[in-house]
Amino acid sequence: MGKHNSYDFLIVGLGFAGIVMAEQLAKAGKKVLAIEARGHFGGNSHDRFDESGILIHQYGPHIFHTNSQRVWEYLSQFTDWLPYEHRVLAQVAGRQITLPVNLNTLYQLFPAAQAQAYERKLTETVGLARSISIIELRGNSDADLRKLADDLYEKIYLNYSYKQWGLPPAELDPQVVGRVPIRVDRDDRYFRDAFQGRPNLGYTKMFERMLAHQNIEVVLNQDYKAMLSRLAYKKLVFTGPIDEYFNYKYGRLPYRSLRFEFSPLDREWYQGSAVINYPGNELFTRITEFKHLTGQQNPRTTILHEYPTGYIHGQNSPCYPIPKKENSKLYLKYKNEADKLKDVIFIGRLAEYRYYNMDEVVERALQASAKLIR
Ligand SMILES: Cc1cc2nc3c(=O)[nH]c(=O)nc-3n(C[C@H](O)[C@H](O)[C@H](O)COP(=O)(O)OP(=O)(O)OC[C@H]3O[C@@H](n4cnc5c(N)ncnc54)[C@H](O)[C@@H]3O)c2cc1C
């Protein structure tokens, strides 16, 4: 620290939001100091090799997909991509079914004649190649489709939502329960985006290249507040939790957290797919086997069980904002304060209290940095 006496920008947090901001501002000739509380950059998208030499995603599986050509081309300056299309299975009633539910799933769950009848009804009512949310399907005027929806809801959605959020679905924003649609087609890919892939050398290598600019100085293992009095800068880009910035003056924004349990195994493969969801009574929600995601060849493998838990400040990390009306209201109080600060830019999933996919954060940061450079 201290290569430059003063900086044009101080960036707090080096996840996707902070890294894209740093890269763009530095390229435009601005001097940037970036401070990250953790011992690594990349935020929740960080990956690393574990003790068995397996490339793991430290904060759960991160699959890159986007419909934005601009985002894809931007990141492609820093990485090549290997083709990857994500497929997810769920362990239900002793067998593995395709997720999100599509016409194939019906034949995995029901006897052929019943599946055929459901297929006909879905095709007639919803339309081939269309999709419908479980909430909408449960309210359908057709009694058979309502029965199908109730069955799927019980088997796939109910307990999973409860485990994931710690709340019965009725208490959640219906948008969340219905986020994963039912698709009237046979395309088993989890994402349909135009651009999908895995960074050929992993996310961390890509981030390294993005940060390798003479105008960027990085400090790790450092909470920004402890350094503020020693720094001179013109503007602050804050990607940490917005309630923390304002010293929690309106109270804490609630989050759901995850406990990650990694298991290195002395065998080549554990399961047939990158991610298998468990919507039953198990305490974990899903098991990931990283080699399926990364394409790595190795005689050993590493798997990850994810256990959703409550978020306790200082003990674990805030993972998902809890989508309830009262939480959005609390966030708006902070946003109102944030809007008054002309020299502080709040950006990213923690600063905007919003679940963003990686590509959405990149897009947001490209827009925000362009505005600052102008
Ligand atoms: C389990 C899980 C799975 C996901 N899977 C996918 C996926 O498959 N595909 C996808 O597109 N997206 C996925 N996401 C979303 C993805 O993680 C986010 O889009 C991305 O992390 C957002 O980047 P960010 O920079 O806003 O936040 P973050 O990555 O959280 O980065 C914020 C950084 O700020 C740092 N920080 C916070 N406070 C301070 C402070 N006071 N001082 C210094 N530093 C601080 C934090 O340590 C952190 O490194 C997933 C998220 C989770 C939780």
Side-chain angles (χ1 to χ4, degrees), residues 12-18 35-38 42-45 59-63 65 222-224 239-241 244 258 286 306 319-320 348-350 355-359 361:
V12 173
L14 275 178
F16 254 109
I35 301 180
E36 166 56 54
R38 290 171 173 164
N44 279 359
S45 312
Y59 304 95
H62 276 66
I63 293 102
H65 56 100
Q222 179 72 54
D223 192 296
Y224 79 105
T239 77
E244 177 194 317
L258 288 169
R286 56 182 182 174
E306 279 170 69
C319 284
Y320 303 106
R349 63 178 199 99
L350 299 165
Y355 183 84
Y356 278 131
N357 280 319
M358 295 181 280
D359 65 318
V361 170

mmCIF file of all heavy atoms in Angstrom, residues 12-18 35-38 42-45 59-63 65 222-224 239-241 244 258 286 306 319-320 348-350 355-359 361, ligand 1:
data_model
loop_
_atom_site.group_PDB
_atom_site.id
_atom_site.type_symbol
_atom_site.label_atom_id
_atom_site.label_comp_id
_atom_site.label_asym_id
_atom_site.label_seq_id
_atom_site.Cartn_x
_atom_site.Cartn_y
_atom_site.Cartn_z
ATOM 1 N N VAL A 12 -14.394 -0.755 -2.371
ATOM 2 C CA VAL A 12 -14.506 -1.667 -1.234
ATOM 3 C C VAL A 12 -15.174 -2.949 -1.710
ATOM 4 O O VAL A 12 -16.317 -2.930 -2.161
ATOM 5 C CB VAL A 12 -15.316 -1.028 -0.080
ATOM 6 C CG1 VAL A 12 -15.559 -2.054 1.022
ATOM 7 C CG2 VAL A 12 -14.580 0.180 0.459
ATOM 8 N N GLY A 13 -14.433 -4.052 -1.628
ATOM 9 C CA GLY A 13 -14.968 -5.348 -2.037
ATOM 10 C C GLY A 13 -14.503 -5.703 -3.436
ATOM 11 O O GLY A 13 -14.616 -4.902 -4.360
ATOM 12 N N LEU A 14 -13.953 -6.915 -3.575
ATOM 13 C CA LEU A 14 -13.472 -7.346 -4.888
ATOM 14 C C LEU A 14 -14.157 -8.613 -5.357
ATOM 15 O O LEU A 14 -13.523 -9.643 -5.587
ATOM 16 C CB LEU A 14 -11.958 -7.525 -4.860
ATOM 17 C CG LEU A 14 -11.142 -6.244 -5.106
ATOM 18 C CD1 LEU A 14 -9.657 -6.525 -5.004
ATOM 19 C CD2 LEU A 14 -11.466 -5.623 -6.469
ATOM 20 N N GLY A 15 -15.485 -8.568 -5.414
ATOM 21 C CA GLY A 15 -16.235 -9.592 -6.144
ATOM 22 C C GLY A 15 -16.332 -9.116 -7.587
ATOM 23 O O GLY A 15 -15.603 -8.206 -8.015
ATOM 24 N N PHE A 16 -17.244 -9.705 -8.352
ATOM 25 C CA PHE A 16 -17.419 -9.296 -9.745
ATOM 26 C C PHE A 16 -17.643 -7.794 -9.840
ATOM 27 O O PHE A 16 -17.070 -7.123 -10.709
ATOM 28 C CB PHE A 16 -18.605 -10.036 -10.377
ATOM 29 C CG PHE A 16 -18.189 -11.112 -11.335
ATOM 30 C CD1 PHE A 16 -18.349 -12.450 -11.017
ATOM 31 C CD2 PHE A 16 -17.643 -10.780 -12.565
ATOM 32 C CE1 PHE A 16 -17.967 -13.446 -11.912
ATOM 33 C CE2 PHE A 16 -17.257 -11.764 -13.473
ATOM 34 C CZ PHE A 16 -17.426 -13.097 -13.139
ATOM 35 N N ALA A 17 -18.473 -7.224 -8.946
ATOM 36 C CA ALA A 17 -18.806 -5.799 -9.042
ATOM 37 C C ALA A 17 -17.541 -4.955 -8.905
ATOM 38 O O ALA A 17 -17.245 -4.112 -9.764
ATOM 39 C CB ALA A 17 -19.832 -5.424 -7.975
ATOM 40 N N GLY A 18 -16.774 -5.183 -7.828
ATOM 41 C CA GLY A 18 -15.585 -4.382 -7.572
ATOM 42 C C GLY A 18 -14.515 -4.590 -8.627
ATOM 43 O O GLY A 18 -13.820 -3.639 -9.027
ATOM 44 N N ILE A 35 -9.919 -2.511 -1.720
ATOM 45 C CA ILE A 35 -9.719 -3.168 -0.420
ATOM 46 C C ILE A 35 -10.715 -4.306 -0.271
ATOM 47 O O ILE A 35 -11.918 -4.114 -0.445
ATOM 48 C CB ILE A 35 -9.928 -2.151 0.728
ATOM 49 C CG1 ILE A 35 -8.950 -0.989 0.576
ATOM 50 C CG2 ILE A 35 -9.747 -2.830 2.075
ATOM 51 C CD1 ILE A 35 -9.077 0.056 1.667
ATOM 52 N N GLU A 36 -10.206 -5.470 0.058
ATOM 53 C CA GLU A 36 -11.050 -6.660 0.183
ATOM 54 C C GLU A 36 -10.850 -7.274 1.574
ATOM 55 O O GLU A 36 -9.721 -7.482 2.012
ATOM 56 C CB GLU A 36 -10.694 -7.662 -0.932
ATOM 57 C CG GLU A 36 -11.243 -9.068 -0.761
ATOM 58 C CD GLU A 36 -12.751 -9.139 -0.589
ATOM 59 O OE1 GLU A 36 -13.479 -8.599 -1.429
ATOM 60 O OE2 GLU A 36 -13.213 -9.739 0.414
ATOM 61 N N ALA A 37 -11.965 -7.565 2.244
ATOM 62 C CA ALA A 37 -11.903 -8.093 3.610
ATOM 63 C C ALA A 37 -11.373 -9.536 3.658
ATOM 64 O O ALA A 37 -10.680 -9.935 4.592
ATOM 65 C CB ALA A 37 -13.286 -8.027 4.247
ATOM 66 N N ARG A 38 -11.702 -10.316 2.641
ATOM 67 C CA ARG A 38 -11.258 -11.714 2.640
ATOM 68 C C ARG A 38 -9.797 -11.804 2.161
ATOM 69 O O ARG A 38 -9.248 -10.840 1.642
ATOM 70 C CB ARG A 38 -12.133 -12.539 1.694
ATOM 71 C CG ARG A 38 -13.557 -12.739 2.207
ATOM 72 C CD ARG A 38 -14.400 -13.363 1.105
ATOM 73 N NE ARG A 38 -15.731 -13.734 1.574
ATOM 74 C CZ ARG A 38 -16.747 -14.010 0.759
ATOM 75 N NH1 ARG A 38 -16.597 -13.947 -0.554
ATOM 76 N NH2 ARG A 38 -17.916 -14.351 1.250
ATOM 77 N N GLY A 42 -12.447 -12.009 -5.895
ATOM 78 C CA GLY A 42 -13.410 -12.854 -6.618
ATOM 79 C C GLY A 42 -14.747 -12.958 -5.899
ATOM 80 O O GLY A 42 -15.706 -13.480 -6.465
ATOM 81 N N GLY A 43 -14.793 -12.503 -4.643
ATOM 82 C CA GLY A 43 -16.055 -12.577 -3.890
ATOM 83 C C GLY A 43 -16.573 -14.002 -3.861
ATOM 84 O O GLY A 43 -15.786 -14.962 -3.749
ATOM 85 N N ASN A 44 -17.862 -14.149 -4.036
ATOM 86 C CA ASN A 44 -18.457 -15.479 -3.969
ATOM 87 C C ASN A 44 -18.187 -16.310 -5.216
ATOM 88 O O ASN A 44 -18.496 -17.493 -5.252
ATOM 89 C CB ASN A 44 -19.971 -15.378 -3.742
ATOM 90 C CG ASN A 44 -20.278 -15.156 -2.279
ATOM 91 O OD1 ASN A 44 -19.364 -15.097 -1.454
ATOM 92 N ND2 ASN A 44 -21.542 -15.036 -1.942
ATOM 93 N N SER A 45 -17.604 -15.697 -6.234
ATOM 94 C CA SER A 45 -17.308 -16.451 -7.458
ATOM 95 C C SER A 45 -15.880 -17.015 -7.439
ATOM 96 O O SER A 45 -15.421 -17.566 -8.444
ATOM 97 C CB SER A 45 -17.475 -15.544 -8.679
ATOM 98 O OG SER A 45 -18.691 -14.842 -8.600
ATOM 99 N N TYR A 59 -17.585 -20.997 -2.687
ATOM 100 C CA TYR A 59 -18.877 -20.540 -2.158
ATOM 101 C C TYR A 59 -20.039 -21.119 -2.954
ATOM 102 O O TYR A 59 -21.030 -20.451 -3.202
ATOM 103 C CB TYR A 59 -18.922 -19.003 -2.137
ATOM 104 C CG TYR A 59 -17.769 -18.419 -1.361
ATOM 105 C CD1 TYR A 59 -16.607 -18.010 -2.007
ATOM 106 C CD2 TYR A 59 -17.811 -18.325 0.032
ATOM 107 C CE1 TYR A 59 -15.528 -17.505 -1.294
ATOM 108 C CE2 TYR A 59 -16.726 -17.823 0.753
ATOM 109 C CZ TYR A 59 -15.594 -17.413 0.078
ATOM 110 O OH TYR A 59 -14.521 -16.914 0.791
ATOM 111 N N GLY A 60 -19.919 -22.380 -3.345
ATOM 112 C CA GLY A 60 -21.002 -23.036 -4.071
ATOM 113 C C GLY A 60 -20.801 -22.909 -5.581
ATOM 114 O O GLY A 60 -20.086 -22.036 -6.061
ATOM 115 N N PRO A 61 -21.455 -23.822 -6.321
ATOM 116 C CA PRO A 61 -21.223 -23.895 -7.767
ATOM 117 C C PRO A 61 -21.635 -22.618 -8.477
ATOM 118 O O PRO A 61 -22.747 -22.119 -8.282
ATOM 119 C CB PRO A 61 -22.121 -25.054 -8.212
ATOM 120 C CG PRO A 61 -23.175 -25.151 -7.153
ATOM 121 C CD PRO A 61 -22.503 -24.744 -5.882
ATOM 122 N N HIS A 62 -20.763 -22.076 -9.310
ATOM 123 C CA HIS A 62 -21.042 -20.858 -10.069
ATOM 124 C C HIS A 62 -20.980 -21.154 -11.565
ATOM 125 O O HIS A 62 -19.905 -21.439 -12.102
ATOM 126 C CB HIS A 62 -20.050 -19.758 -9.688
ATOM 127 C CG HIS A 62 -20.474 -19.018 -8.467
ATOM 128 N ND1 HIS A 62 -20.530 -19.610 -7.230
ATOM 129 C CD2 HIS A 62 -20.916 -17.740 -8.298
ATOM 130 C CE1 HIS A 62 -20.970 -18.717 -6.339
ATOM 131 N NE2 HIS A 62 -21.216 -17.577 -6.968
ATOM 132 N N ILE A 63 -22.121 -21.058 -12.205
ATOM 133 C CA ILE A 63 -22.219 -21.389 -13.629
ATOM 134 C C ILE A 63 -22.478 -20.112 -14.405
ATOM 135 O O ILE A 63 -23.438 -19.390 -14.108
ATOM 136 C CB ILE A 63 -23.358 -22.418 -13.869
ATOM 137 C CG1 ILE A 63 -22.957 -23.744 -13.226
ATOM 138 C CG2 ILE A 63 -23.610 -22.645 -15.350
ATOM 139 C CD1 ILE A 63 -23.589 -24.027 -11.935
ATOM 140 N N HIS A 65 -23.690 -17.870 -17.366
ATOM 141 C CA HIS A 65 -24.639 -17.866 -18.484
ATOM 142 C C HIS A 65 -25.162 -16.453 -18.661
ATOM 143 O O HIS A 65 -25.387 -15.740 -17.685
ATOM 144 C CB HIS A 65 -25.800 -18.835 -18.206
ATOM 145 C CG HIS A 65 -26.518 -18.564 -16.928
ATOM 146 N ND1 HIS A 65 -27.710 -17.880 -16.865
ATOM 147 C CD2 HIS A 65 -26.193 -18.847 -15.642
ATOM 148 C CE1 HIS A 65 -28.090 -17.776 -15.604
ATOM 149 N NE2 HIS A 65 -27.189 -18.352 -14.838
ATOM 150 N N GLN A 222 -8.445 -7.040 4.656
ATOM 151 C CA GLN A 222 -8.519 -5.727 5.278
ATOM 152 C C GLN A 222 -9.939 -5.177 5.233
ATOM 153 O O GLN A 222 -10.523 -5.049 4.159
ATOM 154 C CB GLN A 222 -7.580 -4.777 4.510
ATOM 155 C CG GLN A 222 -7.550 -3.363 5.007
ATOM 156 C CD GLN A 222 -6.833 -3.238 6.344
ATOM 157 O OE1 GLN A 222 -5.710 -3.664 6.494
ATOM 158 N NE2 GLN A 222 -7.518 -2.664 7.329
ATOM 159 N N ASP A 223 -10.493 -4.889 6.408
ATOM 160 C CA ASP A 223 -11.765 -4.178 6.416
ATOM 161 C C ASP A 223 -11.476 -2.709 6.110
ATOM 162 O O ASP A 223 -10.571 -2.114 6.686
ATOM 163 C CB ASP A 223 -12.449 -4.320 7.773
ATOM 164 C CG ASP A 223 -13.886 -3.832 7.709
ATOM 165 O OD1 ASP A 223 -14.096 -2.621 7.457
ATOM 166 O OD2 ASP A 223 -14.786 -4.654 7.892
ATOM 167 N N TYR A 224 -12.248 -2.138 5.197
ATOM 168 C CA TYR A 224 -11.901 -0.792 4.703
ATOM 169 C C TYR A 224 -11.950 0.260 5.808
ATOM 170 O O TYR A 224 -11.194 1.223 5.789
ATOM 171 C CB TYR A 224 -12.816 -0.403 3.539
ATOM 172 C CG TYR A 224 -14.184 0.076 3.954
ATOM 173 C CD1 TYR A 224 -14.509 1.423 3.907
ATOM 174 C CD2 TYR A 224 -15.134 -0.822 4.421
ATOM 175 C CE1 TYR A 224 -15.758 1.872 4.305
ATOM 176 C CE2 TYR A 224 -16.372 -0.387 4.817
ATOM 177 C CZ TYR A 224 -16.685 0.957 4.763
ATOM 178 O OH TYR A 224 -17.902 1.392 5.166
ATOM 179 N N THR A 239 -19.106 -2.025 -2.476
ATOM 180 C CA THR A 239 -19.819 -3.253 -2.893
ATOM 181 C C THR A 239 -20.102 -4.169 -1.705
ATOM 182 O O THR A 239 -20.510 -5.304 -1.888
ATOM 183 C CB THR A 239 -19.037 -4.036 -3.984
ATOM 184 O OG1 THR A 239 -17.954 -4.746 -3.371
ATOM 185 C CG2 THR A 239 -18.482 -3.125 -5.069
ATOM 186 N N GLY A 240 -19.880 -3.680 -0.493
ATOM 187 C CA GLY A 240 -20.207 -4.460 0.709
ATOM 188 C C GLY A 240 -21.666 -4.241 1.096
ATOM 189 O O GLY A 240 -22.424 -3.598 0.365
ATOM 190 N N PRO A 241 -22.082 -4.756 2.266
ATOM 191 C CA PRO A 241 -23.483 -4.630 2.675
ATOM 192 C C PRO A 241 -23.870 -3.176 2.971
ATOM 193 O O PRO A 241 -23.194 -2.507 3.754
ATOM 194 C CB PRO A 241 -23.558 -5.468 3.961
ATOM 195 C CG PRO A 241 -22.329 -6.317 3.954
ATOM 196 C CD PRO A 241 -21.287 -5.571 3.191
ATOM 197 N N GLU A 244 -24.284 -2.162 6.576
ATOM 198 C CA GLU A 244 -23.014 -1.993 7.286
ATOM 199 C C GLU A 244 -22.462 -0.583 7.047
ATOM 200 O O GLU A 244 -21.967 0.071 7.970
ATOM 201 C CB GLU A 244 -22.003 -3.037 6.790
ATOM 202 C CG GLU A 244 -20.632 -2.890 7.434
ATOM 203 C CD GLU A 244 -19.528 -3.677 6.718
ATOM 204 O OE1 GLU A 244 -19.758 -4.829 6.340
ATOM 205 O OE2 GLU A 244 -18.436 -3.106 6.540
ATOM 206 N N LEU A 258 -25.304 -20.144 4.079
ATOM 207 C CA LEU A 258 -25.098 -21.555 3.728
ATOM 208 C C LEU A 258 -23.887 -22.081 4.481
ATOM 209 O O LEU A 258 -22.907 -21.355 4.667
ATOM 210 C CB LEU A 258 -24.796 -21.685 2.229
ATOM 211 C CG LEU A 258 -25.935 -21.455 1.240
ATOM 212 C CD1 LEU A 258 -25.381 -21.351 -0.181
ATOM 213 C CD2 LEU A 258 -26.943 -22.603 1.299
ATOM 214 N N ARG A 286 -28.439 -29.624 -1.836
ATOM 215 C CA ARG A 286 -27.897 -30.169 -3.082
ATOM 216 C C ARG A 286 -26.461 -30.664 -2.886
ATOM 217 O O ARG A 286 -25.787 -30.261 -1.938
ATOM 218 C CB ARG A 286 -27.953 -29.154 -4.215
ATOM 219 C CG ARG A 286 -27.257 -27.841 -3.928
ATOM 220 C CD ARG A 286 -27.396 -26.862 -5.104
ATOM 221 N NE ARG A 286 -26.688 -25.627 -4.842
ATOM 222 C CZ ARG A 286 -26.527 -24.648 -5.708
ATOM 223 N NH1 ARG A 286 -27.032 -24.747 -6.914
ATOM 224 N NH2 ARG A 286 -25.868 -23.560 -5.388
ATOM 225 N N GLU A 306 -24.469 -28.585 0.464
ATOM 226 C CA GLU A 306 -24.856 -27.247 0.928
ATOM 227 C C GLU A 306 -25.997 -27.338 1.931
ATOM 228 O O GLU A 306 -27.057 -27.888 1.620
ATOM 229 C CB GLU A 306 -25.312 -26.388 -0.257
ATOM 230 C CG GLU A 306 -24.161 -25.785 -1.023
ATOM 231 C CD GLU A 306 -24.621 -25.160 -2.318
ATOM 232 O OE1 GLU A 306 -25.313 -24.142 -2.295
ATOM 233 O OE2 GLU A 306 -24.277 -25.738 -3.372
ATOM 234 N N CYS A 319 -25.560 -14.769 2.281
ATOM 235 C CA CYS A 319 -25.603 -15.362 0.929
ATOM 236 C C CYS A 319 -26.761 -14.809 0.100
ATOM 237 O O CYS A 319 -26.546 -14.247 -0.961
ATOM 238 C CB CYS A 319 -25.710 -16.880 1.009
ATOM 239 S SG CYS A 319 -24.153 -17.657 1.436
ATOM 240 N N TYR A 320 -27.997 -15.018 0.583
ATOM 241 C CA TYR A 320 -29.152 -14.589 -0.216
ATOM 242 C C TYR A 320 -29.983 -13.589 0.577
ATOM 243 O O TYR A 320 -30.384 -13.890 1.713
ATOM 244 C CB TYR A 320 -30.061 -15.782 -0.526
ATOM 245 C CG TYR A 320 -29.390 -16.913 -1.246
ATOM 246 C CD1 TYR A 320 -29.073 -18.099 -0.565
ATOM 247 C CD2 TYR A 320 -29.101 -16.840 -2.601
ATOM 248 C CE1 TYR A 320 -28.466 -19.161 -1.227
ATOM 249 C CE2 TYR A 320 -28.499 -17.901 -3.261
ATOM 250 C CZ TYR A 320 -28.191 -19.053 -2.573
ATOM 251 O OH TYR A 320 -27.593 -20.098 -3.226
ATOM 252 N N GLY A 348 -23.696 -3.891 -6.589
ATOM 253 C CA GLY A 348 -23.467 -5.309 -6.316
ATOM 254 C C GLY A 348 -24.558 -5.883 -5.437
ATOM 255 O O GLY A 348 -25.446 -5.180 -4.957
ATOM 256 N N ARG A 349 -24.456 -7.173 -5.201
ATOM 257 C CA ARG A 349 -25.559 -7.886 -4.548
ATOM 258 C C ARG A 349 -25.745 -7.477 -3.096
ATOM 259 O O ARG A 349 -26.863 -7.474 -2.584
ATOM 260 C CB ARG A 349 -25.342 -9.395 -4.656
ATOM 261 C CG ARG A 349 -24.094 -9.820 -3.935
ATOM 262 C CD ARG A 349 -23.826 -11.289 -3.953
ATOM 263 N NE ARG A 349 -22.895 -11.569 -2.884
ATOM 264 C CZ ARG A 349 -23.223 -12.038 -1.707
ATOM 265 N NH1 ARG A 349 -24.464 -12.347 -1.429
ATOM 266 N NH2 ARG A 349 -22.307 -12.228 -0.780
ATOM 267 N N LEU A 350 -24.651 -7.108 -2.401
ATOM 268 C CA LEU A 350 -24.766 -6.727 -0.986
ATOM 269 C C LEU A 350 -25.141 -5.252 -0.857
ATOM 270 O O LEU A 350 -25.893 -4.865 0.029
ATOM 271 C CB LEU A 350 -23.444 -6.982 -0.259
ATOM 272 C CG LEU A 350 -22.979 -8.433 -0.235
ATOM 273 C CD1 LEU A 350 -21.508 -8.519 0.187
ATOM 274 C CD2 LEU A 350 -23.836 -9.262 0.704
ATOM 275 N N TYR A 355 -30.574 -10.346 -5.181
ATOM 276 C CA TYR A 355 -29.902 -11.479 -5.797
ATOM 277 C C TYR A 355 -29.607 -11.147 -7.259
ATOM 278 O O TYR A 355 -30.530 -10.899 -8.030
ATOM 279 C CB TYR A 355 -30.725 -12.778 -5.714
ATOM 280 C CG TYR A 355 -29.925 -13.909 -6.317
ATOM 281 C CD1 TYR A 355 -28.987 -14.595 -5.564
ATOM 282 C CD2 TYR A 355 -30.041 -14.229 -7.667
ATOM 283 C CE1 TYR A 355 -28.192 -15.577 -6.134
ATOM 284 C CE2 TYR A 355 -29.245 -15.205 -8.242
ATOM 285 C CZ TYR A 355 -28.328 -15.872 -7.464
ATOM 286 O OH TYR A 355 -27.531 -16.838 -8.027
ATOM 287 N N TYR A 356 -28.350 -11.123 -7.600
ATOM 288 C CA TYR A 356 -27.938 -10.912 -8.983
ATOM 289 C C TYR A 356 -27.154 -12.123 -9.441
ATOM 290 O O TYR A 356 -26.329 -12.646 -8.687
ATOM 291 C CB TYR A 356 -26.942 -9.752 -9.067
ATOM 292 C CG TYR A 356 -27.515 -8.361 -9.101
ATOM 293 C CD1 TYR A 356 -27.011 -7.381 -8.247
ATOM 294 C CD2 TYR A 356 -28.490 -8.004 -10.019
ATOM 295 C CE1 TYR A 356 -27.488 -6.086 -8.288
ATOM 296 C CE2 TYR A 356 -28.974 -6.705 -10.058
ATOM 297 C CZ TYR A 356 -28.471 -5.752 -9.196
ATOM 298 O OH TYR A 356 -28.933 -4.474 -9.240
ATOM 299 N N ASN A 357 -27.367 -12.536 -10.685
ATOM 300 C CA ASN A 357 -26.437 -13.474 -11.282
ATOM 301 C C ASN A 357 -25.163 -12.726 -11.655
ATOM 302 O O ASN A 357 -25.170 -11.501 -11.759
ATOM 303 C CB ASN A 357 -27.051 -14.107 -12.535
ATOM 304 C CG ASN A 357 -27.999 -15.229 -12.172
ATOM 305 O OD1 ASN A 357 -27.721 -16.030 -11.269
ATOM 306 N ND2 ASN A 357 -29.128 -15.285 -12.841
ATOM 307 N N MET A 358 -24.101 -13.478 -11.898
ATOM 308 C CA MET A 358 -22.813 -12.839 -12.182
ATOM 309 C C MET A 358 -22.903 -11.894 -13.378
ATOM 310 O O MET A 358 -22.375 -10.784 -13.341
ATOM 311 C CB MET A 358 -21.748 -13.917 -12.455
ATOM 312 C CG MET A 358 -21.457 -14.786 -11.249
ATOM 313 S SD MET A 358 -20.177 -16.025 -11.583
ATOM 314 C CE MET A 358 -21.110 -17.284 -12.448
ATOM 315 N N ASP A 359 -23.561 -12.338 -14.439
ATOM 316 C CA ASP A 359 -23.610 -11.492 -15.640
ATOM 317 C C ASP A 359 -24.358 -10.181 -15.377
ATOM 318 O O ASP A 359 -24.025 -9.145 -15.939
ATOM 319 C CB ASP A 359 -24.245 -12.257 -16.813
ATOM 320 C CG ASP A 359 -25.700 -12.608 -16.571
ATOM 321 O OD1 ASP A 359 -26.039 -13.020 -15.445
ATOM 322 O OD2 ASP A 359 -26.514 -12.452 -17.500
ATOM 323 N N VAL A 361 -24.380 -8.524 -12.568
ATOM 324 C CA VAL A 361 -23.477 -7.639 -11.837
ATOM 325 C C VAL A 361 -22.453 -7.025 -12.795
ATOM 326 O O VAL A 361 -22.140 -5.838 -12.705
ATOM 327 C CB VAL A 361 -22.780 -8.416 -10.693
ATOM 328 C CG1 VAL A 361 -21.670 -7.590 -10.085
ATOM 329 C CG2 VAL A 361 -23.784 -8.778 -9.625
HETATM 330 C C1 LIG B 1 -24.442 -20.298 -3.407
HETATM 331 C C2 LIG B 1 -24.446 -19.315 -4.546
HETATM 332 C C3 LIG B 1 -24.424 -19.798 -5.851
HETATM 333 C C4 LIG B 1 -24.432 -18.900 -6.919
HETATM 334 N N1 LIG B 1 -24.410 -19.425 -8.194
HETATM 335 C C5 LIG B 1 -24.408 -18.602 -9.251
HETATM 336 C C6 LIG B 1 -24.398 -19.140 -10.575
HETATM 337 O O1 LIG B 1 -24.387 -20.367 -10.783
HETATM 338 N N2 LIG B 1 -24.405 -18.269 -11.622
HETATM 339 C C7 LIG B 1 -24.423 -16.901 -11.435
HETATM 340 O O2 LIG B 1 -24.413 -16.159 -12.435
HETATM 341 N N3 LIG B 1 -24.430 -16.371 -10.188
HETATM 342 C C8 LIG B 1 -24.418 -17.178 -9.091
HETATM 343 N N4 LIG B 1 -24.428 -16.652 -7.818
HETATM 344 C C9 LIG B 1 -24.410 -15.175 -7.653
HETATM 345 C C10 LIG B 1 -22.980 -14.603 -7.628
HETATM 346 O O3 LIG B 1 -22.284 -15.108 -6.515
HETATM 347 C C11 LIG B 1 -23.090 -13.078 -7.548
HETATM 348 O O4 LIG B 1 -23.684 -12.591 -8.737
HETATM 349 C C12 LIG B 1 -21.751 -12.367 -7.396
HETATM 350 O O5 LIG B 1 -21.057 -12.886 -6.299
HETATM 351 C C13 LIG B 1 -21.987 -10.884 -7.173
HETATM 352 O O6 LIG B 1 -20.782 -10.200 -7.055
HETATM 353 P P1 LIG B 1 -20.654 -8.979 -6.058
HETATM 354 O O7 LIG B 1 -19.339 -8.344 -6.354
HETATM 355 O O8 LIG B 1 -21.873 -8.141 -6.096
HETATM 356 O O9 LIG B 1 -20.660 -9.630 -4.592
HETATM 357 P P2 LIG B 1 -19.628 -10.613 -3.876
HETATM 358 O O10 LIG B 1 -19.133 -11.656 -4.804
HETATM 359 O O11 LIG B 1 -20.270 -11.048 -2.623
HETATM 360 O O12 LIG B 1 -18.398 -9.657 -3.494
HETATM 361 C C14 LIG B 1 -18.462 -8.695 -2.479
HETATM 362 C C15 LIG B 1 -17.092 -8.624 -1.830
HETATM 363 O O13 LIG B 1 -17.054 -7.525 -0.897
HETATM 364 C C16 LIG B 1 -16.275 -7.894 0.208
HETATM 365 N N5 LIG B 1 -16.605 -7.030 1.353
HETATM 366 C C17 LIG B 1 -17.807 -6.954 1.997
HETATM 367 N N6 LIG B 1 -17.722 -6.070 3.012
HETATM 368 C C18 LIG B 1 -16.458 -5.572 3.007
HETATM 369 C C19 LIG B 1 -15.755 -4.631 3.822
HETATM 370 N N7 LIG B 1 -16.349 -4.015 4.864
HETATM 371 N N8 LIG B 1 -14.452 -4.347 3.539
HETATM 372 C C20 LIG B 1 -13.831 -4.957 2.501
HETATM 373 N N9 LIG B 1 -14.451 -5.866 1.699
HETATM 374 C C21 LIG B 1 -15.737 -6.170 1.955
HETATM 375 C C22 LIG B 1 -16.663 -9.353 0.427
HETATM 376 O O14 LIG B 1 -15.682 -10.041 1.173
HETATM 377 C C23 LIG B 1 -16.757 -9.871 -1.005
HETATM 378 O O15 LIG B 1 -15.549 -10.417 -1.470
HETATM 379 C C24 LIG B 1 -24.459 -17.501 -6.703
HETATM 380 C C25 LIG B 1 -24.509 -17.020 -5.395
HETATM 381 C C26 LIG B 1 -24.511 -17.905 -4.311
HETATM 382 C C27 LIG B 1 -24.581 -17.366 -2.919
#
